[in-house]
Amino acid sequence: MSAIKPSQEPLDRKSQRMLIIFAERRFQRTRANQRLRFTLSLWVIRTKLLARLKRVLDISVAIVALVLSAPIMVITAIAIKLESPGPVIFKQVRVGKDGEHFYCYKFRSMYVDAEQRLKELQAKNEADGPVFKMKCDPRVTRVGRVIRKLSIDELPQLFNVLKGEMSLVGPRPALPSEVAKYTYEQIGRLHAIPGITGLQQVSGRSDLDFKRWVELDLQYIAEQSIWKDIEILLRTIPAVLLGRGAY
């Protein structure tokens, strides 16, 4: 039996047209894949470059701020020690980027039994959402009211910045108990390194409701850049001096 030879007959016009369309689509698909790979590569490079530049900015400004604020920190430490017994520095577990836990440092602005007294004050909570805020919190010391108003209590967080646990600018770090109550949208706050200041801090701080707070944090994460960080840092200066929403 002789082997069957493939047909040598020319393709009809319809078949030729279909073959051309198929070839063009394959070519277009290849170009689309190349564009996609190129776009993704640019995004990865931009993200890594932004992270490195942000880290350089954090370390540089944190070192300068620590040197300039050293006298204020010494005076604050002495005032806290003289007013009430207990440690000068209060450290508390907070939730960082992607749910990582770390110890956040602050000058102690409350009496040492503040955590134990929190339950009896829950009914007087003036904030919505999973956070606790109270303008006339009886747990706050006299020195504490002053350093909170001027945001001096947060100066030790510059050491968190040097350790890489925090950034100068970003969403404020939340407590694990607060994060446990977050909705799916609110979890988005954890997609960035927490900061000492942020869009929420320069837009009203504690005067904002929690929904608006989250919206501003998500806006920052979506738009973050070195220029955005510099802008927020500059806006932080008048916000701290005026003390609006700080308590």
Side-chain angles (χ1 to χ4, degrees):
M1 183 181 292
S2 59
I4 300 174
K5 295 181 179 180
S7 173
Q8 300 297 323
E9 294 181 6
L11 296 171
D12 57 45
R13 287 186 178 180
K14 185 177 180 181
S15 299
Q16 288 178 349
R17 182 61 183 159
M18 293 298 294
L19 187 61
I20 291 170
I21 292 173
F22 177 73
E24 287 178 349
R25 285 183 177 176
R26 282 193 63 187
F27 179 67
Q28 290 172 356
R29 190 160 58 244
T30 301
R31 285 196 303 182
N33 288 339
Q34 289 173 344
R35 283 198 300 269
L36 179 61
R37 283 197 293 268
F38 180 71
T39 303
L40 288 174
S41 298
L42 283 180
W43 180 82
V44 170
I45 293 170
R46 179 187 175 277
T47 302
K48 288 185 176 180
L49 183 61
L50 175 62
R52 290 184 180 181
L53 288 174
K54 186 178 176 70
R55 185 65 184 142
V56 170
L57 178 67
D58 282 346
I59 293 174
S60 303
V61 175
I63 290 173
V64 172
L66 279 170
V67 172
L68 294 178
S69 64
I72 297 173
M73 294 176 76
V74 170
I75 294 170
T76 301
I78 293 171
I80 292 171
K81 203 67 181 174
L82 289 175
E83 183 184 14
S84 64
V88 169
I89 300 295
F90 174 70
K91 65 177 186 177
Q92 189 178 47
V93 175
R94 296 290 178 116
V95 182
K97 184 180 179 182
D98 299 327
E100 192 123 353
H101 288 197
F102 69 97
Y103 279 111
C104 180
Y105 305 122
K106 297 183 75 173
F107 277 122
R108 181 173 60 83
S109 60
M110 294 185 173
Y111 294 102
V112 289
D113 62 346
E115 294 292 311
Q116 290 73 33
R117 296 168 62 187
L118 179 60
K119 279 188 177 180
E120 64 189 56
L121 296 172
Q122 285 290 353
K124 299 180 181 179
N125 186 10
E126 297 171 8
D128 63 337
V131 296
F132 179 86
K133 292 289 181 183
M134 189 175 172
K135 283 185 179 180
C136 298
D137 194 328
R139 302 173 300 159
V140 180
T141 63
R142 285 175 298 175
V143 171
R145 295 194 189 284
V146 175
I147 63 176
R148 280 185 168 213
K149 191 71 175 175
L150 299 174
S151 297
I152 294 172
D153 61 322
E154 294 174 0
L155 286 176
Q157 289 167 29
L158 291 169
F159 291 104
N160 287 119
V161 173
L162 292 179
K163 291 170 68 177
E165 297 164 335
M166 291 181 66
S167 176
L168 292 172
V169 182
R172 287 297 296 162
L175 294 166
S177 59
E178 294 171 353
V179 173
K181 300 173 186 175
Y182 275 7
T183 63
Y184 178 79
E185 181 187 30
Q186 292 163 357
I187 287 290
R189 295 186 70 247
L190 305 181
H191 293 162
I193 299 174
I196 296 178
T197 186
L199 203 52
Q200 179 255 342
Q201 277 68 38
V202 299
S203 303
R205 302 176 76 172
S206 298
D207 288 341
L208 301 174
D209 59 44
F210 189 68
K211 182 181 178 183
R212 182 57 182 156
W213 185 345
V214 173
E215 287 173 351
L216 289 170
D217 285 339
L218 296 180
Q219 179 184 334
Y220 167 77
I221 293 170
E223 300 175 352
Q224 62 181 313
S225 67
I226 294 300
W227 300 116
K228 191 74 174 177
D229 280 13
I230 293 173
E231 177 197 338
I232 292 173
L233 286 172
L234 292 175
R235 288 174 61 187
T236 298
I237 298 171
V240 169
L241 293 177
L242 293 173
R244 186 166 61 92
Y247 53 85

